[in-house]
């Protein structure tokens, strides 16, 4: 893939709550507007349905399913944007990983995602199931270089609060606070 081609992807199980159907509808809007390829990194029970939807939307030359990968760091390193389209989510550890890799994020506002991705601060968000708004946010993060740099810088600072050391210290502080009650 040529350097001028943007790589936009999602790294998640191909499961109902990850809503790859919205991912593909977003790709359908974006593909005629930008020079990009779209990656799905993961596997799961909906894989054949997603493959059928890719064909149905005539996206076979634009979307590639990489399956489960043991070299996820290489995928993160190659992506230009993480497009995370979940309709239900607890934490979304992939979001923290993307931040650690310096990857700009466009995500839905599902479940716990807004606790991790704060719109206009360390990523861009859109309502669940809204491919039009998701596509607009992807275009923004690709087109507005200053915005992209700010989001990545803030994400890098934010994710440091989730290091092993920081999490251990926060847990210890909770135990100390409880023991003083």
């Amino acid at each position: 893939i040529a350097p001028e081609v943007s790589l936009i992807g999602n790294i998640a199980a191909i499961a109902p709550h990850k809503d790859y159907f919205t991912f593909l509808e977003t790709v359908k809007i974006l593909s005629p507007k930008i020079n990009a390829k779209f990656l799905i990194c993961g596997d799961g029970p909906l894989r054949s349905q997603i493959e059928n939807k890719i064909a149905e939307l005539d996206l076979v030359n634009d979307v590639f399913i990489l399956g489960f990968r043991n070299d996820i760091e290489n995928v993160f390193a190659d992506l230009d944007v993480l497009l995370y389209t979940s309709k239900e989510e607890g934490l979304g550890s992939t979001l923290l990983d993307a931040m650690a890799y310096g990857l700009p994020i466009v995500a839905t506002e599902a479940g716990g995602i807004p606790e991790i991705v704060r719109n206009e601060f360390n990523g861009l968000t859109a309502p669940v199931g809204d491919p039009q708004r998701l596509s607009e946010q992807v275009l923004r993060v690709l087109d507005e270089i200053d915005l992209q740099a700010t989001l990545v810088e803030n994400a890098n600072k934010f994710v440091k609060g989730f290091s092993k050391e920081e999490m251990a210290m926060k847990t210890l502080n909770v135990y100390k606070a409880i023991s003083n009650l």
Side-chain angles (χ1 to χ4, degrees):
I1 297 175
E4 66 273 7
V5 177
S6 296
L7 286 177
I8 300 167
N10 193 356
I11 300 171
I14 304 176
H17 68 287
K18 298 299 183 178
D19 197 7
Y20 275 105
F21 294 103
T22 293
F23 179 88
L24 294 175
E25 293 294 337
T26 305
V27 170
K28 186 68 175 172
I29 294 167
L30 287 170
S31 62
K33 296 179 180 181
I34 59 174
N35 186 10
K37 297 296 179 190
F38 302 86
L39 305 178
I40 294 173
C41 189
D43 214 339
L46 296 184
R47 182 172 178 150
S48 62
Q49 288 176 284
I50 294 302
E51 289 170 335
N52 292 339
K53 189 69 171 179
I54 291 168
E56 177 188 317
L57 293 173
D58 195 26
L59 295 172
V60 293
N61 294 318
D62 297 312
V63 179
F64 303 94
I65 299 178
L66 305 181
F68 180 81
R69 300 287 296 258
N70 287 320
D71 64 338
I72 204 66
E73 66 280 358
N74 293 328
V75 177
F76 275 118
D78 287 339
L79 289 178
D80 294 297
V81 177
L82 180 74
L83 175 58
Y84 204 75
T85 57
S86 293
K87 62 183 174 181
E88 299 171 5
E89 195 66 57
L91 174 67
S93 60
T94 295
L95 299 167
L96 296 173
D97 292 337
M99 288 179 184
Y101 278 95
L103 188 59
I105 298 168
V106 174
T108 56
E109 298 162 343
I113 292 174
E115 295 177 37
I116 301 296
V117 180
R118 297 179 184 157
N119 192 44
E120 303 284 336
F121 174 72
N122 61 1
L124 298 177
T125 63
V128 171
D130 189 344
Q132 183 61 46
R133 186 68 181 135
L134 285 162
S135 67
E136 292 166 2
Q137 296 290 54
V138 169
L139 291 173
R140 280 189 66 208
V141 83
L142 289 173
D143 292 341
E144 299 177 29
I145 301 305
D146 290 342
L147 172 65
Q148 184 183 117
T150 298
L151 297 175
V152 169
E153 180 182 336
N154 289 340
N156 183 266
K157 292 174 187 172
F158 177 82
V159 78
K160 288 180 179 169
F162 290 87
S163 70
K164 288 183 246 178
E165 297 80 15
E166 193 66 28
M167 294 302 292
M169 186 57 67
K170 288 176 182 176
T171 302
L172 179 61
N173 289 339
V174 168
Y175 283 123
K176 286 179 180 178
I178 292 171
S179 68
N180 289 333
L181 294 177

